[in-house]
Amino acid sequence: ITSDCNTICKCEIKPCVLLGECHICLDNFKKDDIKTILQCKHYFHKDCIYKWLCVEKISCPICRHDIRNIFK
């Protein structure tokens, strides 16, 4: 899990993260939002994905990739 995608992707992920939306809260990303990218390359608001992973599920809400796979 990586936070602050601007230092990682430099908006090379298409569509640009700044133009996308968080698939958990469905709000559009704003320039200064803190985003988190999972290993599967899906990105979310940091607070949204942390709540999802800590309270709801242990997988990506889009592709259901098990985030624990990084440790295998």
Side-chain angles (χ1 to χ4, degrees):
I1 301 174
T2 305
S3 291
D4 187 16
C5 72
N6 293 328
T7 61
I8 302 299
C9 71
K10 306 278 189 223
C11 289
E12 293 173 7
I13 295 174
K14 303 297 180 204
C16 177
V17 212
L18 296 177
L19 301 177
E21 69 179 11
C22 174
H23 290 281
I24 297 173
C25 70
L26 303 178
D27 283 344
N28 289 327
F29 291 117
K30 295 174 185 66
K31 183 176 181 179
D32 294 326
D33 285 350
I34 298 174
K35 296 163 284 290
T36 298
I37 301 176
L38 301 180
Q39 306 95 302
C40 56
K41 306 297 183 206
H42 292 120
Y43 43 90
F44 309 90
H45 289 118
K46 179 184 175 188
D47 292 339
C48 293
I49 194 61
Y50 278 86
K51 180 180 177 189
W52 175 271
L53 295 174
C54 292
V55 177
E56 301 291 333
K57 308 282 182 186
I58 54 169
S59 58
C60 173
I62 296 175
C63 69
R64 303 199 194 287
H65 175 80
D66 188 333
I67 61 127
R68 297 173 298 176
N69 285 343
I70 192 171
F71 301 111
K72 291 183 179 179

